[in-house]
Each structure stands twice: as C-alpha cells, then as structure tokens.
Amino acid sequence: MPGTGEANDCGRCGRSHEVWFTVELEDKSHQIVGASCARAANMEAFKRFSAIENSEKLVKKHRQNLADGEWFLRNKARVEREVADMIPPVPMMERSGSLTVMQCGDGGQISFHAMDSRAETLRLAVKSWRRKRMEDRGVKASRVVNLQRLQREVMKAERRLELAQKANQQ
C-alpha cells in the first residue's frame, strides 16, 4: 500500500522507498516503484533530474555557508571591540580543599593551586567572561572562517549544477 511507511525495494533504482506505487510496465507486467522514480519517464531522465535537484540543494547550502561566514567576519571585529571595552565584574574566589576556584561573573570557573599565578588565573577568568559576552552577541570566539574555501565550494557546486543542467538538455 502506498504511503503506509512500510519500505519496499524499488524496481527501478533498487533503493528502499516508504512511498511507492505498483505500476504496469509496457510489457503488461507489474513492478513496485518508489514515488520519485514513478515521476520519471525513464531511469535516465530520473537520474538527470536528481542530479539537478541535488546540485541545486548543494549550491543553496554552500551559498548560505558563505553568507554566514561573511556575516561572522564582518561582525567578529566589531563585537570583539565592544566586548574589550566592557568592564568585567569583580572575580569571585572560593577555596575548595587544596584548590581555589575563581569565576568572573557568569564565565567559566577556573581552578588553581596556591602555587599557580593568580595573575594568569585572573586573565583566564576574564577571558572566559568575555568569550561568553561574544557568544551572547552571536559570535563564537573559537570559530575559524576560511572565505576562500567557502567561495571555492560555491563555485564547484555551481559548476556541478551547470553540468547537470547541460546534461539534461542533451
């Protein structure tokens, strides 16, 4: 039964489809075919159609990744300046056995021994607080963006789509 959620192997592509139909072929025999395969006039047309559809999705995905990367780079420097200008809260310290825990506002807790440098611990606590402020503004401090790589991916995906469209026209 079509659309029951029960998977059946497709007589055309061999994959398993949840939505399928029983179709009558030219030789009057019957075959179970997935809904997407049934749309295609023949398997070659279906492959060309799928290649175009998949290439369009890939182009869209890579263009969105590129746009996200550009937004990130445009905003990262501005957000870093804003956060650097902020005055962090006074760090709180708490002893726990042989360790002391320092926390700056809602930043992460930094544990240190009595022999560790308090200046370094304070720097790490403030850095944790600043990182949280950046993330609050939508910029993840540890993210690395390679725009050239993203641009190459868009160009490759567009070329793949162009080739798929040309193959469909032949």
Side-chain angles (χ1 to χ4, degrees):
M1 294 178 57
T4 61
E6 296 174 20
N8 270 304
D9 291 335
C10 177
R12 285 195 173 168
C13 71
R15 292 183 302 177
S16 186
H17 293 278
E18 274 190 36
V19 180
W20 47 272
F21 301 97
T22 302
V23 295
E24 185 175 325
L25 302 176
E26 293 172 8
D27 65 356
K28 303 295 183 203
S29 65
H30 291 85
Q31 191 175 49
I32 294 175
V33 180
S36 55
C37 291
R39 282 193 318 221
N42 62 45
M43 204 55 205
E44 194 57 41
F46 173 71
K47 286 179 183 175
R48 287 193 308 265
F49 176 76
S50 292
I52 290 171
E53 202 171 53
N54 293 338
S55 295
E56 287 172 343
K57 288 177 186 174
L58 194 62
V59 167
K60 183 178 178 180
K61 174 187 152 194
H62 287 309
R63 283 181 180 161
Q64 184 61 52
N65 289 345
L66 179 60
D68 291 348
E70 289 170 340
W71 178 91
F72 174 80
L73 290 178
R74 271 195 318 274
N75 289 291
K76 182 179 182 186
R78 178 186 55 78
V79 170
E80 282 175 337
R81 283 190 307 274
E82 286 175 10
V83 171
D85 291 343
M86 297 172 82
I87 298 170
V90 175
M92 305 300 285
M93 290 196 302
E94 196 178 292
R95 275 194 83 78
S96 175
S98 65
L99 288 177
T100 301
V101 177
M102 185 182 290
Q103 184 170 5
C104 186
D106 60 351
Q109 294 183 338
I110 311 295
S111 301
F112 63 100
H113 292 280
M115 294 181 289
D116 292 339
S117 164
R118 280 197 182 196
E120 177 65 10
T121 305
L122 175 61
R123 187 189 70 74
L124 291 173
V126 170
K127 183 178 178 182
S128 174
W129 178 83
R130 289 190 192 285
R131 184 179 305 122
K132 186 134 172 117
R133 299 293 71 78
M134 288 185 67
E135 289 174 2
D136 291 346
R137 287 161 176 74
V139 176
K140 189 168 182 161
S142 62
R143 182 173 175 196
V144 176
V145 173
N146 183 338
L147 280 184
Q148 289 178 334
R149 181 184 57 80
L150 293 173
Q151 289 166 338
R152 278 193 309 268
E153 287 175 354
V154 168
M155 288 173 27
K156 278 175 42 181
E158 288 172 341
R159 180 70 180 140
R160 180 178 167 185
L161 174 60
E162 185 181 308
L163 292 172
Q165 289 169 334
K166 281 182 183 177
N168 191 43
Q169 292 171 353
Q170 295 174 350

